[in-house]
Amino acid sequence: MNTTLQKYLPEGAVGPCLDLIRQNEVHLKIVGHRNTRHGDYRRMPDGTHKITVNASLNKYRFLITLIHEIAHLVAIEKFGRRIKPHGQEWKRTFQHLMVPFIRPEIFPSQLLPIIANHFKNPKASSSSDARLSIALKAFDPEERSQSYVFELPKGSTFRLHNGRVYKKGNKRVKRYECTELATGRLYLFQPNAEVEPVHITSDAEPPF
């Protein structure tokens, strides 16, 4: 396990993470890329704890995701199974578990203030914090081939991983109004949503 974690975590985080995994008797499974989630936690029918984390994550996002999922386990064990998945009990547990990792030996200096700010009130997903998500994306190993919604000009079209195509509209507070071309329905997108820009000629757009 130690050798495996060295491939996916910052060097200074390997030992403390291994301790958390052993203390909480976690069965950690590193899986292929999933578009819908970075990781998840499940209590198995036999009472064991299974955590999965995407292998495609960079080492800083992998660390945050792993501690996020361990926090679910610890919060449920401490406060009971009736707590909200991302309620106050989970948030306090996540903050407590992450504090030892928020230091320059583990995170680059440009990430530290952004991470510290995020953990004042951690969200259900690091992707929900646009500033943190964009900062973490800079450390992804592969060259980014997609765009963020906030980078696209108003009126441009883009495609999601599921093939659905949208047109970008106005900004509403923090999110963008985008119209699905096939149905005319309006959706709100986070500014850091990753999309594939596409070009559609005017006569190909539906008349809504």
Side-chain angles (χ1 to χ4, degrees), residues 63-83:
L63 171 58
I64 292 171
T65 301
L66 176 60
I67 303 303
H68 174 126
E69 302 305 337
I70 292 176
H72 281 302
L73 185 167
V74 174
I76 290 172
E77 291 291 297
K78 183 175 181 179
F79 299 105
R81 304 183 71 176
R82 293 180 179 271
I83 62 172

Side-chain angles (χ1 to χ4, degrees), residues 85-156:
H86 297 102
Q88 290 304 313
E89 297 87 354
W90 171 80
K91 288 188 178 189
R92 291 198 300 271
T93 303
F94 195 11
Q95 289 169 326
H96 174 74
L97 292 176
M98 272 300 300
V99 165
F101 295 97
I102 305 176
R103 51 193 179 90
E105 295 85 356
I106 293 178
F107 286 103
S109 58
Q110 63 266 44
L111 278 181
L112 280 172
I114 300 172
I115 289 171
N117 184 69
H118 174 82
F119 278 95
K120 291 178 181 178
N121 183 26
K123 300 181 183 298
S125 169
S126 60
S127 295
S128 300
D129 183 335
R131 188 180 177 211
L132 176 59
S133 181
I134 292 169
L136 288 171
K137 186 69 179 175
F139 295 90
D140 283 354
E142 71 277 3
E143 184 177 348
R144 183 162 66 96
S145 60
Q146 294 185 307
S147 298
Y148 296 119
V149 165
F150 80 87
E151 296 175 320
L152 302 178
K154 180 181 175 182
S156 58

